[in-house]
Amino acid sequence: MFPGVWIGLLAVLAVAAVLTACARYYALRRNLLDQPGERRSHGVATPRGGGIAIVLTLLLAVVAGAFYWPQARTTLLVFGLGLALVAGIGWWDDHRPLPAVRRLLVHVVAASLLAGLVWNATGNPWQAALALLFTTSLINIWNFMDGINGIATTQAILAGAAFALVLPGPLALAGVVLALACLGFLPFNFPRARIFMGDVGSGALGYAVAALVCLASVATTVSWLLLLVPLTAFLVDAGFTLLARMLSGQRWMEPHTQHLYQRAVKGGATHTSVTGMYFVFGLFSITVFNACTYLQPRWEAAVAVTWIISATGLWLLLRKGMRH
């Protein structure tokens, strides 16, 4: 790797940290605080909106990438536009809450940009449709799962590392940059939260991780099912919690504390221990993922299905234990 690339990567880490400090100062000046409540997992008023630092860092990296790799300029700028849309509606919502439908419409537009890139690269409309649905879902999943210190950031770091390991050549830098941008933010949010990510950051992280999945689906031969394995913890907890709320007739779009990680905290576990458990499970997930990326497609799919079913069984077991 060229010395200039190493300098650039260190700059990503430093810029994210500096911008997070600036975001905290802004939030305190504007009294932009998350207040404790029955549907919250924190006990003191805490500044929010720190995820804007990750977003701005990624956008600066997009501009730098477009300058140094002209052949990828269009792809990078389309991704940057989608990221800005998701972050922009999240920033607005952090300042003045918006109806869920309005946010969802923006998410669909941004996801359509990624889907268009997938369609252009593969010529496969079904793969593009899958990218659209997956991206829209992951934006909201990351938002749902951003409820305790460090959990959304550390899972994004793991995802960035996982896809960096399988993406070829300079494309791996996409995963590394995402991981470093999150790492620059992490000390401000974990183990003690001096600022929360906010919707501006959580939705944008979901979009960025979805972009990595779409990129891997185009640039590698890894099956879509196996590409989900690094995200298992969030997909299972968010997906089955949402399904359980729907089946029980609850208003599933309203804020709640029924995710497994939230139940654990409500049951007395610390944010640090719960985030740590999710991180350890994520390490196992990316180990399984990396070990199986050279299998034949049917075996990749078999491993992915087995892993996700096993994770679902673990989720059901833990959820039942916490209920009692």
Side-chain angles (χ1 to χ4, degrees):
M1 198 178 290
F2 297 113
V5 175
W6 285 109
I7 293 172
L9 294 177
L10 290 175
V12 168
L13 184 64
V15 168
V18 170
L19 289 178
T20 303
C22 294
R24 186 173 186 274
Y25 175 78
Y26 169 84
L28 290 171
R29 285 288 301 270
R30 290 289 303 270
N31 198 33
L32 194 63
L33 303 174
D34 256 357
Q35 300 294 338
E38 182 182 349
R39 294 177 176 176
R40 304 285 185 176
S41 298
H42 61 283
V44 297
T46 305
R48 68 173 180 267
I52 188 65
I54 298 174
V55 173
L56 292 177
T57 302
L58 292 178
L59 290 176
L60 287 172
V62 164
V63 172
F67 177 79
Y68 283 105
W69 289 287
Q71 65 273 24
R73 184 171 296 163
T74 300
T75 299
L76 286 168
L77 293 179
V78 170
F79 162 74
L81 176 59
L83 183 69
L85 285 172
V86 174
I89 199 68
W91 180 253
W92 190 348
D93 194 51
D94 283 333
H95 286 74
R96 182 179 299 175
L98 295 168
V101 173
R102 191 175 302 176
R103 297 197 308 271
L104 182 61
L105 287 174
V106 175
H107 296 165
V108 170
V109 171
S112 299
L113 294 175
L114 275 187
L117 291 176
V118 170
W119 194 352
N120 182 65
T122 64
N124 186 336
W126 296 110
Q127 188 169 340
L130 178 60
L132 172 62
L133 178 62
F134 176 74
T135 302
T136 304
S137 300
L138 205 63
I139 292 168
N140 289 280
I141 285 172
W142 232 266
N143 185 274
F144 296 155
M145 297 298 291
D146 179 33
I148 61 173
N149 301 350
I151 191 168
T153 315
T154 53
Q155 291 297 311
I157 290 171
L158 288 173
F163 292 113
L165 290 172
V166 299
L167 285 167
L171 295 181
L173 289 173
V176 176
V177 167
L178 175 61
L180 289 175
C182 291
L183 192 59
F185 169 82
L186 186 61
F188 295 85
N189 185 247
F190 182 83
R192 182 175 70 88
R194 289 181 284 160
I195 189 168
F196 291 151
M197 186 178 297
D199 288 348
V200 62
S202 57
L205 276 189
Y207 187 80
V209 173
L212 284 178
V213 175
C214 291
L215 179 60
S217 75
V218 169
T220 73
T221 58
V222 181
S223 74
W224 256 97
L225 279 173
L226 191 63
L227 292 174
L228 301 181
V229 166
L231 317 178
T232 303
F234 272 19
L235 294 180
V236 168
D237 196 357
F240 284 100
T241 299
L242 179 61
L243 180 61
R245 284 174 60 79
M246 287 178 171
L247 292 176
S248 62
Q250 300 178 57
R251 296 182 178 180
W252 57 272
M253 295 186 71
E254 290 185 351
H256 61 88
T257 55
Q258 295 182 23
H259 290 292
L260 185 63
Y261 76 90
Q262 293 170 319
R263 287 174 178 245
V265 171
K266 291 290 184 182
T270 65
H271 287 217
T272 301
S273 62
V274 176
T275 295
M277 287 188 290
Y278 273 71
F279 185 80
V280 170
F281 182 84
L283 285 177
F284 278 107
S285 295
I286 66 174
T287 301
V288 170
F289 169 71
N290 194 53
C292 298
T293 51
Y294 299 103
L295 298 176
Q296 294 180 354
R298 65 176 181 273
W299 291 114
E300 288 182 352
V303 168
V305 170
T306 302
W307 182 254
I308 293 171
I309 290 175
S310 300
T312 303
L314 178 62
W315 179 86
L316 289 169
L317 182 64
L318 291 173
R319 181 181 171 90
K320 182 178 179 180
M322 289 176 190
R323 183 180 299 149
H324 298 294

